[in-house]
Amino acid sequence: MTLDAPALARRRLARGALALASGAFTLLAGQVLAATGLPDPRPADGRAERSITEWLSRMQDASLQRSYVGTFVVTSSNGSMASARIWHACDGQRQVERIDSLSGERRSTFRRDDEVLTFLPETKTVRSERREALGLFPEMVRPDDSAIPEFYTARRVGSDRVAGFDADIVQVLPTDGLRFGYRIWSEKKSGLVVKLQTLDEGGRVLEQAAFSELQLDAPVRMDRLAHMMTVPEGWRVEKTEAVKTTAAAEGWGLRQPVAGFKSVSFYKRRAEDVLQWIFSDGLASVSLFVEDFDGQRHLREGMFASGATHTLTRRVQDSWVTVVGEVPPATLRAFSLSLERRK
């Protein structure tokens, strides 16, 4: 259930943006722009606003078809900061990347499609696991399945330069109180997200992730990165065994859905005896972790925050439930209050 800073930063940089104007959005965006001092949202070049599908497709294509090398930094409103170096290679179908932490614990994480290896040199340990592509670009299976148009509005609000690249600035605002807003910098030529800010309901920046240096279309070879995933002799491999199952099979369900969030997957982590249920609205994701109640463990019930990430822990019958997501506290409460054991 550990969420390391480099992985969170990578997810934040990888989210997509939208461009759908409406009367309600124009009013809200005007208030936010006045507070932040961003440029007038009307495109200076007079071009038509991109549609929601065009923005998503453009950014998704950039992540699948462009290789790059860069250094990115994530900072939170609580003063914490993490940085990492990333090498990303792709061929339109497969993706391979390496992420080296530059702060905190030394580690190198390699991802080849859904295969993830994390190398911890201090203990000569490699953690091996399988992860679905949730959160890569953006957190959705297909654009037509997403609830984004119903629960978010967005529009280009200007341009800027990030890490030496010209970028469009896209403001994304939620239509309810169950999700955060975003300000996204998308590189003009490719569409790649080069900077991302997560905003609370008042437009305050909760967290920011941005490339401080970027080499777009760098000659990163997939076979070379894949070769680096070979486990050195003498290192210990720890496999995280997560079996895909369903909420119904494990005896859990929601009394009522949380608006906009769809069930993405459900796993049983045997070694830790923990269930994980993942939901997404296309941009934000929420994970519900369920484990047996143990009176000997002194878990604290309540809400905790770190930047944009909120965590809620409470007891539900004979289980501890931990709800985690980059969403407002109200969203986590809605999930925890709706969760029920059915057998």
Side-chain angles (χ1 to χ4, degrees), residues 207-247:
E207 209 149 57
Q208 173 178 292
F211 281 104
S212 61
E213 178 270 330
L214 176 65
Q215 301 172 49
L216 193 56
D217 293 327
V220 186
R221 292 177 50 182
M222 296 184 67
D223 59 344
R224 186 172 182 181
L225 286 180
H227 181 71
M228 293 180 185
M229 297 176 71
T230 303
V231 178
E233 185 177 351
W235 285 48
R236 179 168 51 92
V237 177
E238 294 181 350
K239 289 189 176 182
T240 300
E241 188 177 4
V243 179
K244 200 164 188 178
T245 179
T246 66

Side-chain angles (χ1 to χ4, degrees), residues 94-332:
R94 307 196 66 191
Q95 298 188 62
V96 181
E97 66 183 12
R98 171 182 177 176
I99 302 174
D100 285 0
S101 63
L102 301 179
S103 57
E105 182 184 17
R106 290 180 56 201
R107 67 174 64 199
S108 294
T109 300
F110 291 84
R111 179 179 64 85
R112 177 169 51 197
D113 296 331
D114 65 346
E115 179 187 6
V116 179
L117 296 179
T118 301
F119 291 75
L120 305 172
E122 299 295 335
T123 58
K124 292 187 176 181
T125 303
V126 179
R127 293 176 183 165
S128 174
E129 59 183 315
R130 295 277 179 180
R131 297 181 192 168
E132 292 189 2
L134 179 67
L136 294 182
F137 223 110
E139 294 183 357
M140 60 197 305
V141 179
R142 294 191 307 271
D144 58 339
D145 277 348
S146 172
I148 288 176
E150 183 179 355
F151 294 96
Y152 293 94
T153 59
R155 189 175 180 180
R156 178 182 180 272
V157 295
S159 59
D160 196 2
R161 278 171 57 81
V162 177
F165 290 90
D166 293 326
D168 290 313
I169 306 174
V170 181
Q171 189 91 0
V172 179
L173 295 178
T175 60
D176 62 16
L178 295 178
R179 51 214 98 225
F180 288 134
Y182 305 96
R183 192 177 298 130
I184 305 171
W185 283 251
S186 172
E187 200 269 323
K188 285 182 179 289
K189 292 182 179 179
S190 67
L192 187 72
V193 175
V194 292
K195 181 178 177 179
L196 172 70
Q197 292 178 341
T198 304
L199 313 173
D200 67 10
E201 63 277 6
R204 186 175 68 99
V205 178
L206 294 173
E207 209 149 57
Q208 173 178 292
F211 281 104
S212 61
E213 178 270 330
L214 176 65
Q215 301 172 49
L216 193 56
D217 293 327
V220 186
R221 292 177 50 182
M222 296 184 67
D223 59 344
R224 186 172 182 181
L225 286 180
H227 181 71
M228 293 180 185
M229 297 176 71
T230 303
V231 178
E233 185 177 351
W235 285 48
R236 179 168 51 92
V237 177
E238 294 181 350
K239 289 189 176 182
T240 300
E241 188 177 4
V243 179
K244 200 164 188 178
T245 179
T246 66
E250 300 301 326
W252 291 91
L254 295 182
R255 279 186 288 271
Q256 60 182 23
V258 178
F261 287 89
K262 295 183 179 181
S263 175
V264 175
S265 56
F266 196 105
Y267 291 99
K268 185 173 186 178
R269 301 182 179 275
R270 290 180 174 174
E272 303 135 339
D273 198 20
V274 173
L275 303 175
Q276 181 182 9
W277 196 356
I278 304 173
F279 293 82
S280 175
D281 71 355
L283 284 178
S285 66
V286 173
S287 283
L288 280 71
F289 297 93
V290 181
E291 57 187 311
D292 291 338
F293 174 78
D294 183 352
Q296 301 301 314
R297 294 181 59 193
H298 299 288
L299 294 180
R300 291 176 56 195
E301 290 190 276
M303 184 77 67
F304 311 94
S306 177
T309 302
H310 287 79
T311 303
L312 172 63
T313 300
R314 65 186 296 261
R315 183 178 176 180
V316 177
Q317 297 178 4
D318 295 328
S319 301
W320 279 113
V321 175
T322 301
V323 193
V324 182
E326 292 175 40
V327 292
T331 310
L332 303 188

